[in-house]
Amino acid sequence: MARYNPKAIEPKWQQVWDENGTFTTDEASSKPKYYVLEMFPYPSGRIHIGHVRVYTLGDVTARYRRAKGYNVLHPMGWDAFGMPAENAAIERGIHPGKWTYDNIAAMRGQLKSMGLSYDWNREIFTCAPDYYVHEQRMFLKFLEAGLAYRKESWVNWDPVDQTVLANEQVIEGRGWRSGALVERRKLSQWFLKITAFGDDLLDSLSTLDRWPDRVKTMQERWIGRSEGARLSFRLEGAPEGLDGLEVFTTRPDTLFGAAFCGIAPNHPLAEALAASDPELAAFIEECNRTGTSEEVLEKAEKKGYRLPVDAEHPFVPGLKLPVYVANFVLMEYGSGAIFGCPAHDQRDLDFARKYDLPVKPVVRPAGLDDASPLEIGSEALTGDGVIVNSGFLDGLSVADAKRRAIEELEKIGIGKGETTFRLRDWGVSRQRYWGCPIPVIHCPDCGVVPVPEDQLPVTLPEDVVFDGQGNPLDRHPSWAHVDCPSCGRPARRETDTFDTFFESSWYFARYTGLTTDRPFPREAADKWMPVDQYIGGIEHAVLHLLYSRFFTRAMREVGLLDVKEPFAGLLTQGMVVHETYKDDQGRWVFPEEVTKDADGQLVHVETGRPVTRGRIEKMSKSKRNVVDPMAIIEAYGADTARLFMLSDSPPERDLEWTDAGAEGAHRYLARLYRLVDEWAAALPAPGTDIGADLAAAEGAALEIRRKLHRTIRDLSEDLERFHFNKGVARLRELSNALFDFTPASPADAAVAREAVDAIIRLIGPMTPHLGEELWRMAGHDGLLAEQPWPDFDPTLVTVDTITLPVQVNGKVRSKLDVAPDLDQDAAVERALADHKVKTALDGRTPRKVIYVPNRILNLIG
Ligand code: ANZ
Ligand code: ZN
């Protein structure tokens, strides 16, 4: 008798798929397309358990769709630029390129050992010139189209990584990688005009009906569209040319409650006045020590610096408002200046209380009658209501007053309605070596000159020094020194490289065809895009997913493809979590080091000292609760790891890794293997016409058929909806029925053949190696991976009832057709209504009920 041995089976089938080109996408196929993609990995060196989960989810989807008759595109590649490679160079003297490609080789092997159905012919490496040359061309196209531009701006500077960070990369005021407190700096940077698509990026979210609401909400907030007005205050005491102050407001209805104006620390007026005011200069510098992200400013204490300048109220002649430099006003939002209405804005109220400014309510909250006094304590009134104390706006609703105020501003020519976005243009310049060089040259005479097409790609020099001091490209002796392509005089290459989110913003389109003359073939992109199902982590809800949506629009605008949305369906998988332990010193302990002593107390295996169980947490090295996927595959095989990743939790939720769970999954697969092994010889040969025998099936065999066809129907639904855990449970239930079944008659054997063939196909996407092996053991030629998904027989699934025999005093009196798993009360009620049972009971009520669900009901009376 053979034994389930994944170590032998798995490499064997991987090799067969490879040699056979089983997963090579056929461009000539006339089947409907299905593009499934998992977020590609950063080549850190080893796959982690999160990879195993996400790539299993994608692989089951790809294999299922293939079986359902789709022409599937399922590619894989490497997000290969980025800082860890450069850090390795600094720390260990390995060239980032070598480090990266070595890691890729190791991880590719690990992914292959999982049996993933990728078309490896389309593998991409974003750090290779044949990939990034297209980025350079694309960037120059964007530049031409006005979608890329250069400007001086205040940026988030990471003092440890020595680079600029996008706002999205600043988390609670710290760099997302280094954890260092972010500072502000003024630099000349390249920007991509994501704001040009602000409205569309927002409005089109409603078309993404296969995206999680959570992600859409996060994007909506991030884009942050605000409708309001821009208006100009006349300033008294301001230097020439700076005496009009533009502010953006979403609440023009509260203008009569204005108490002050605030400007950003980097506002031109503040900078002009600081030139002759050291105290102001010091205040500005203090503000610059915190990052530019809103989050930070929101939390910081509100502070201001009173300027020797007043603003004239536009509607109230003679009313003068003090002007402050305020630390909570952002230069990059609206116009970098505000008017403050303390009664109806919390920040303004905090500020007013601190600097003793008037607080004048101008909105009476709905439900508060005219007579009651309108007083503001420590909380601003931000709700709806009726306008008061506001001249020509009095009596209007907030919405009407907004419109009326804008009308008035337009009439007197000092303002207009305006929409503003929280979203800012994407700064893509990074002062790093291991990234795609930005293909421009700076000429003292000609300014910024694009690198001519025939000189692309601009490749990275190999001979660079990594010592952690700034950007190595800057200090390379010759690389940056070139002649100006336009005037021929000495000029200098741009030494900044692109943010690495650049690469991942279009790689999904590159997979549609690896052309050299263009980023991807137009027809192929139009055929394959959008990705039908994208799978990856929720941590990319705004960054990567928003950039990709923008890039797709930008690529469309420059004529590279014709879709707007890159990802039609999105699944965000949860984390894999694991138990944690600490010893009596509070140190983390590996779960393998924990055992129970004679009294059943948890202790450390070596020291015998007490250990306490901690929370179940995301796997992390520091908490010593990491499980290495390669060790799992080594111990149980990839199919067990895959099956476990699909069991227990829905994909969006966290999944707890337990050894017991993995062992359970393994035992189940071994049992299925034994079943097929035992049955194989007695099954009718494949291809035999078993139709008549199947039709003759009855009793337990018929029950098996019913269960089988229901499982086919329901599992298909489960896979379409990504309810993989439910699907696994269903398969195990079906298997249990088979384990209990002993085929005796020819009809039974036919049913066994039908069931074995179907269950192999059903489990194939989840445990593909075992699937292929069982397919062979069951006597089939060819590959399971090329078999269609089984169909269910509708006549076998419609009858969702079972036959329940009813005994009265031990004698069968009737048979009821009832729903499976009916509870006792309902079963008794049904029985008492049955006339044969009634006759048998002859008016007596049963004294005792014996009920075995789905088997028998015995009434004693
Ligand atoms: C006056 C006012 C009165 C405001 C009131 C609010 C409530 P959202 O909705 O997020 O777009 N603002 C404008 N530009 C700013 C900047 N650069 N930095 C900081 N704050 C700025 O917020 C728009 C509101 O935020 C604007 O409306 C403005 O304050 C402030 F009862 O104007 B408001
Ligand atoms: Zn020149």
Side-chain angles (χ1 to χ4, degrees):
M1 203 176 77
R3 199 178 57 88
Y4 174 44
N5 180 9
K7 273 212 180 82
I9 292 176
E10 295 185 348
K12 179 178 80 184
W13 289 110
Q14 286 157 18
Q15 197 184 341
V16 172
W17 295 325
D18 233 15
E19 285 168 3
N20 196 53
T22 309
F23 305 116
T24 306
T25 303
D26 175 12
E27 285 291 347
S29 164
S30 58
K31 295 174 181 172
K33 71 101 180 177
Y34 193 88
Y35 184 1
V36 54
L37 183 67
E38 304 100 57
M39 291 181 183
F40 65 165
Y42 178 77
S44 56
R46 288 186 76 76
I47 60 169
H48 56 68
I49 196 95
H51 291 132
V52 177
R53 190 171 192 197
V54 64
Y55 299 136
T56 299
L57 296 173
D59 199 50
V60 174
T61 307
R63 286 175 182 269
Y64 167 69
R65 289 289 170 168
R66 181 182 302 277
K68 284 291 270 188
Y70 288 89
N71 185 26
V72 171
L73 174 58
H74 186 214
M76 178 41 80
W78 307 95
D79 190 12
F81 272 139
M83 286 206 322
E86 225 166 311
N87 292 337
I90 295 166
E91 284 157 25
R92 282 177 276 156
I94 314 170
H95 190 274
K98 175 165 170 40
W99 184 85
T100 303
Y101 282 105
D102 285 353
N103 285 349
I104 289 175
M107 289 174 74
R108 185 193 297 113
Q110 295 175 343
L111 289 185
K112 287 200 168 177
S113 75
M114 284 181 61
L116 304 167
S117 61
Y118 294 126
D119 180 353
W120 285 102
N121 298 320
R122 299 185 189 229
E123 184 177 14
I124 58 183
F125 310 83
T126 60
C127 63
D130 68 3
Y131 183 83
Y132 69 68
V133 64
H134 301 294
E135 296 195 349
Q136 296 179 337
R137 290 190 191 135
M138 221 184 287
F139 175 76
L140 295 178
K141 279 198 175 176
F142 289 174
L143 196 60
E144 238 176 71
L147 291 169
Y149 64 94
R150 189 174 167 80
K151 85 167 185 210
E152 279 238 302
S153 79
W154 287 91
V155 295
N156 300 299
W157 178 258
D158 185 320
V160 169
D161 282 342
Q162 302 248 322
T163 191
V164 171
L165 300 175
N167 279 309
E168 294 87 330
Q169 293 166 334
V170 179
I171 293 148
E172 292 186 355
R174 293 174 183 274
W176 69 310
R177 274 192 185 282
S178 69
L181 276 175
V182 166
E183 298 167 1
R184 277 189 226 187
R185 274 210 187 173
K186 196 167 195 176
L187 285 180
S188 239
Q189 299 280 297
W190 287 102
F191 286 86
L192 295 188
K193 213 161 183 182
I194 188 167
T195 55
F197 300 96
D199 278 314
D200 190 37
L201 287 169
L202 187 68
D203 295 338
S204 302
L205 284 173
S206 64
T207 67
L208 299 175
D209 48 2
R210 289 195 296 116
W211 276 43
D213 286 337
R214 192 170 153 215
V215 173
K216 288 194 274 189
T217 308
M218 284 164 84
Q219 292 215 353
E220 195 179 312
R221 293 216 182 107
W222 192 265
I223 296 167
R225 180 163 57 195
S226 292
E227 322 258 351
R230 185 183 280 258
L231 68 142
S232 175
F233 283 86
R234 277 190 35 77
L235 297 183
E236 251 174 41
E240 264 217 47
L242 292 169
D243 53 359
L245 182 67
E246 298 245 309
V247 307
F248 172 73
T249 177
T250 47
R251 299 291 306 272
D253 56 305
T254 64
L255 256 168
F256 283 90
F260 66 96
C261 283
I263 66 174
N266 318 117
H267 192 279
L269 176 61
E271 289 182 340
L273 295 172
S276 56
D277 181 347
E279 207 182 322
L280 173 57
F283 178 77
I284 292 173
E285 190 156 314
E286 186 194 321
C287 294
N288 286 346
R289 275 198 288 275
T290 57
T292 61
S293 80
E294 261 169 75
E295 218 187 326
V296 173
L297 298 181
E298 204 61 53
K299 285 186 194 143
E301 192 200 338
K302 311 287 168 283
K303 279 190 195 155
Y305 184 93
R306 172 76 163 98
L307 296 176
V309 172
D310 288 329
E312 286 173 18
H313 195 286
F315 296 153
V316 188
L319 177 58
K320 295 200 166 43
L321 308 174
V323 180
Y324 289 81
V325 174
N327 68 345
F328 62 88
V329 181
L330 295 159
M331 192 57 221
E332 280 76 23
Y333 188 63
S335 61
I338 63 158
F339 80 80
C341 175
H344 303 292
D345 182 272
Q346 193 60 44
R347 288 180 313 184
D348 296 348
L349 183 60
D350 297 345
F351 192 82
R353 294 290 186 225
K354 179 157 177 170
Y355 295 104
D356 220 7
L357 299 168
V359 178
K360 175 183 165 193
V362 291
V363 182
R364 179 183 298 280
L368 197 70
D369 66 76
D370 297 3
S372 27
L374 195 49
E375 261 166 40
I376 312 285
S378 58
E379 260 177 62
L381 299 173
T382 55
D384 205 357
V386 176
I387 306 294
V388 294
N389 301 330
S390 297
F392 66 93
L393 297 177
D394 279 353
L396 296 177
S397 68
V398 165
D400 287 343
K402 282 183 184 175
R403 274 191 286 275
R404 180 71 188 83
I406 291 173
E407 242 174 61
E408 191 64 21
L409 291 170
E410 282 172 357
K411 201 170 96 193
I412 56 180
I414 59 160
K416 59 178 176 20
E418 191 178 274
T419 302
T420 296
F421 293 89
R422 170 160 291 116
L423 181 71
R424 318 227 195 116
D425 281 339
W426 175 16
V428 292
S429 302
R430 296 290 179 276
Q431 294 68 43
R432 308 298 304 187
Y433 167 80
W434 195 233
C436 170
I438 301 179
V440 297
I441 289 164
H442 299 277
C443 170
D445 296 317
C446 314
V448 172
V449 184
V451 173
E453 169 70 36
D454 63 357
Q455 291 170 30
L456 295 179
V458 177
T459 54
L460 293 167
E462 288 285 318
D463 52 333
V464 278
V465 178
F466 298 97
D467 53 12
Q469 306 296 302
N471 179 0
L473 290 176
D474 255 345
R475 292 176 306 135
H476 190 277
S478 57
W479 185 77
H481 304 284
V482 289
D483 294 336
C484 169
S486 163
C487 71
R489 276 192 282 256
R492 204 177 143 76
R493 269 193 204 292
E494 171 81 56
T495 55
D496 284 355
T497 52
F498 287 131
D499 180 358
T500 59
F501 277 100
F502 210 104
E503 281 80 58
S504 51
S505 297
W506 69 281
Y507 78 112
F508 42 84
R510 173 75 176 162
Y511 283 132
T512 66
L514 309 187
T515 36
T516 49
D517 57 331
R518 41 188 304 137
F520 39 81
R522 169 79 198 240
E523 324 70 60
D526 289 346
K527 168 175 121 187
W528 287 108
M529 294 293 294
V531 172
D532 295 277
Q533 189 59 48
Y534 197 36
I535 308 175
I538 186 84
E539 67 275 19
H540 294 295
V542 274
L543 287 153
H544 162 59
L545 290 171
L546 191 58
Y547 291 153
S548 299
R549 295 183 64 220
F550 155 67
F551 237 81
T552 306
R553 285 165 170 77
M555 290 192 292
R556 180 171 182 249
E557 194 143 311
V558 299
L560 289 171
L561 45 59
D562 195 29
V563 290
K564 245 169 49 169
E565 290 295 344
F567 313 120
L570 174 69
L571 175 68
T572 50
Q573 91 279 1
M575 290 184 302
V576 183
V577 296
H578 193 32
E579 55 188 359
T580 59
Y581 292 94
K582 275 186 180 177
D583 67 10
D584 53 352
Q585 313 282 304
R587 288 175 305 215
W588 300 100
V589 174
F590 291 108
E592 306 82 73
E593 294 173 334
V594 180
T595 184
K596 277 184 183 163
D597 67 7
D599 309 325
Q601 302 297 314
L602 294 176
V603 292
H604 192 278
V605 256
E606 271 157 32
T607 63
R609 301 193 57 99
V611 166
T612 47
R613 193 191 292 271
R615 281 196 311 190
I616 295 169
E617 297 199 51
K618 179 181 177 177
M619 290 189 190
S620 85
K621 276 204 190 102
S622 65
K623 294 185 179 137
R624 302 206 151 183
N625 66 339
V626 174
V627 175
D628 174 13
M630 295 320 290
I632 298 170
I633 292 175
E634 184 65 23
Y636 302 104
D639 283 338
T640 293
R642 294 172 57 121
L643 186 68
F644 184 76
M645 286 295 140
L646 301 165
S647 317
D648 291 355
S649 303
E652 304 83 8
R653 299 268 187 79
D654 289 353
L655 168 74
E656 188 192 351
W657 172 266
T658 63
D659 290 338
E663 271 151 29
H666 187 74
R667 268 199 310 276
Y668 163 61
L669 295 181
R671 193 152 179 212
L672 194 59
Y673 181 96
R674 274 203 308 278
L675 178 87
V676 177
D677 187 44
E678 278 164 21
W679 281 9
L683 297 177
T688 319
D689 183 2
I690 54 172
D693 284 331
L694 285 178
E698 52 179 23
L702 182 57
E703 274 317 302
I704 295 261
R705 289 203 78 200
R706 290 213 167 112
K707 201 172 202 86
L708 173 66
H709 287 264
R710 275 203 300 272
T711 305
I712 297 172
R713 178 194 61 189
D714 297 344
L715 181 66
S716 311
E717 275 281 288
D718 293 337
L719 297 187
E720 309 265 341
R721 297 185 186 177
F722 307 105
H723 294 171
F724 300 114
N725 56 320
K726 282 194 192 161
V728 172
R730 247 185 258 286
L731 270 182
R732 293 190 67 155
E733 222 182 283
L734 172 65
S735 307
N736 285 338
L738 294 184
F739 296 149
D740 288 345
F741 180 62
T742 319
S745 64
D748 287 356
V751 170
R753 161 58 75 192
E754 182 189 37
V756 162
D757 285 0
I759 202 166
I760 296 172
R761 292 183 207 225
L762 295 178
I763 206 167
M766 303 184 183
T767 60
H769 312 89
L770 176 66
E772 295 288 1
E773 190 69 18
L774 296 181
W775 192 244
R776 274 299 149 85
M777 286 160 61
H780 297 285
D781 301 325
L783 288 175
L784 176 65
E786 282 157 3
Q787 297 302 313
W789 191 249
D791 288 324
F792 65 88
D793 177 346
T795 63
L796 286 166
V797 300
T798 45
V799 241
D800 255 345
T801 58
I802 54 143
T803 307
L804 182 70
V806 183
Q807 296 182 338
V808 176
N809 297 330
K811 205 163 170 204
V812 176
R813 296 293 181 174
S814 183
K815 283 185 178 161
L816 304 174
D817 280 331
V818 299
D821 306 321
L822 197 65
D823 68 36
Q824 176 165 324
D825 289 348
V828 172
E829 191 183 312
R830 283 285 309 276
L832 294 181
D834 182 84
H835 82 274
K836 286 185 204 153
V837 176
K838 270 192 203 156
T839 316
L841 280 170
D842 196 20
R844 285 160 294 164
T845 23
R847 282 182 283 115
K848 199 176 161 198
V849 174
I850 299 164
Y851 180 51
V852 185
N854 304 329
R855 293 274 160 87
I856 193 131
L857 175 66
N858 194 356
L859 305 175
I860 321 275

